[in-house]
Amino acid sequence: MEDQRRTPGSQTSLREANRARIVDAIKKHGGLTQVELAGATGLSPATVSNIVKEGVGTGLLHTATITRSGRRAQHVTLAHTLGLFVGVHFSTRHMRIALADAAHTVVAEHHMPLAKDHRADNELDKTTLLLADMLDSVDASMPDVLAVGIAVPAPLDRETGTTARNGIMRGWDGVAVAEVMQRRLKRPVFVDNAANLSALAEFRLGAARGKSNSVTLDIGDGIGAGLILNGAIFRGHNGVAGEFGHTTILENGPLCRCGNRGCLEAIAGGPALLDDLREQLGTIKLNDVVLRAMSGEPTSMRALADAGRHIGVAAANLCNLLDPERIVVGGELSRAGELLLGPLRHAVERSIIVGPDLMPEIVQGQLGARAATLGAAVYAVDSVNILPEDRSD
């Protein structure tokens, strides 16, 4: 009997490798025309056409006719029926969860406030129950979930899966979030820093789309940076790259929650901004400062401008090190638009080493408060092999 095993040089192995290249390209870009797929994968148009036709037949891919540059083209995405993916974002005060398909279309979403210094075990339990309800609302169940992505506002130790430094996210110290949730859900779970996943979402779906070297700043209660270098998240050797808010900009400055002094976050982060305003405006929330500034209230406008200048000086250092093509500004304070971005941009212009023609674009994020949640869902899609023969439990 002829040996039917799949040797590395066999036509079957080659077809599977080519199919995997096409799926990876679609994951990366969200959807491409067949001509764009040929360019992205290096495969011939005929090979792409055959694999796409086969993928549509097996339920792996979906095609739709679109008009591109005046010509009709077949736009290829992953099939919506492949399965579901979950994105969860835990911030210091809120939790947001989204249920999406492989094409990144959100089919259900929920948001809830969290108590100050909430505990991980309580919130992970709530998330498990909430996810079950959301699945029920779309006539699905847990086996339909192929992967879960979770964004947390802290650097993670790659070896242990726990926060890299105690005190950054009180109530979550020492918790291996992926391991704990995987036990609860019996599904693959992947965890990353919220700033990284916000950057991933803006790169795939938002304001940094098509920019292979970009920085996304997450400015709110904390200040983080997600780095996209050569089209991929840069996490560094230990997985803690991008702790932009904990760069020292004022030696012997105010004490930061990380234990150091003079961190950018301790000077321009949300709590620092509110502390500075308390004497004049009393006890208010960060959202109130943004709304007051947008309505023209001078004290709040000045506070945001000062924060923007401090962040801009630090961002210029980042630009001089990394030379990004675009800086995307997200997070709660970014809702103030040019009230924050204008001073930030001017500070970068003054401090960056290159001329104005080489300065990166500095733009507002497009995904708002949903960025890290959507990024977590994208991360979940990226982290598992969705080819049909590999989807068994």
Side-chain angles (χ1 to χ4, degrees), residues 142-387:
M142 202 62 73
D144 295 311
V145 173
L146 300 188
V148 178
I150 298 179
V152 295
L156 294 169
D157 185 320
R158 211 181 256 180
E159 292 295 320
T160 65
T162 62
T163 54
R165 183 163 183 169
N166 289 346
I168 293 287
M169 196 178 173
R170 286 185 291 184
W172 292 70
D173 290 338
V175 178
V177 179
E179 184 181 317
V180 170
M181 278 303 276
Q182 202 154 295
R183 282 202 303 267
R184 283 170 164 80
L185 301 177
K186 305 294 189 291
R187 311 309 298 153
V189 178
F190 306 91
V191 182
D192 202 349
N193 182 288
N196 287 345
L197 296 183
S198 292
L200 180 64
E202 292 288 359
F203 173 52
R204 296 286 185 81
L205 312 170
R209 193 162 187 172
K211 307 300 181 185
S212 295
N213 293 285
S214 64
V215 173
T216 296
L217 303 182
D218 187 354
I219 305 171
D221 282 331
I223 301 177
L227 312 176
I228 300 291
L229 301 182
N230 296 324
I233 297 174
F234 179 76
R235 297 182 175 87
H237 177 65
N238 294 306
V240 297
E243 284 305 307
F244 181 60
H246 299 289
T247 53
T248 302
I249 65 168
L250 183 62
E251 194 175 2
N252 299 320
L255 187 67
C256 181
R257 64 189 174 119
C258 72
N260 293 328
R261 287 191 174 274
C263 292
L264 175 63
E265 189 175 295
I267 294 166
L273 189 148
L274 294 178
D275 283 345
D276 291 342
L277 290 173
R278 188 166 288 118
E279 186 175 331
Q280 292 171 280
L281 301 181
T283 301
I284 58 174
K285 295 179 180 178
L286 209 52
N287 185 53
D288 298 327
V289 177
V290 173
L291 294 176
R292 283 169 176 262
M294 292 174 73
S295 68
E297 195 272 304
T299 303
S300 297
M301 290 176 67
R302 189 163 51 249
L304 285 179
D306 288 343
R309 280 190 290 272
H310 288 303
I311 295 165
V313 170
N317 290 329
L318 200 57
C319 291
N320 289 336
L321 284 171
L322 300 177
D323 186 28
E325 184 178 1
R326 181 171 291 176
I327 295 178
V328 176
V329 182
E332 192 167 5
L333 287 188
S334 73
R335 292 175 51 240
E338 286 300 312
L339 294 173
L340 178 78
L341 266 65
L344 192 160
R345 193 179 290 113
H346 293 320
V348 172
E349 288 172 351
R350 285 196 306 270
S351 303
I352 196 168
I353 197 169
V354 299
D357 54 326
L358 296 180
M359 186 178 137
E361 300 171 284
I362 299 176
V363 302
Q364 187 175 20
Q366 292 180 354
L367 304 178
R370 305 169 75 219
T373 313
L374 295 175
V378 171
Y379 185 39
V381 176
D382 285 357
S383 297
V384 293
N385 191 335
I386 61 173
L387 295 178

Side-chain angles (χ1 to χ4, degrees), residues 37-52:
L37 270 174
T41 60
L43 300 174
S44 71
T47 298
V48 169
S49 178
N50 288 335
I51 292 175
V52 167

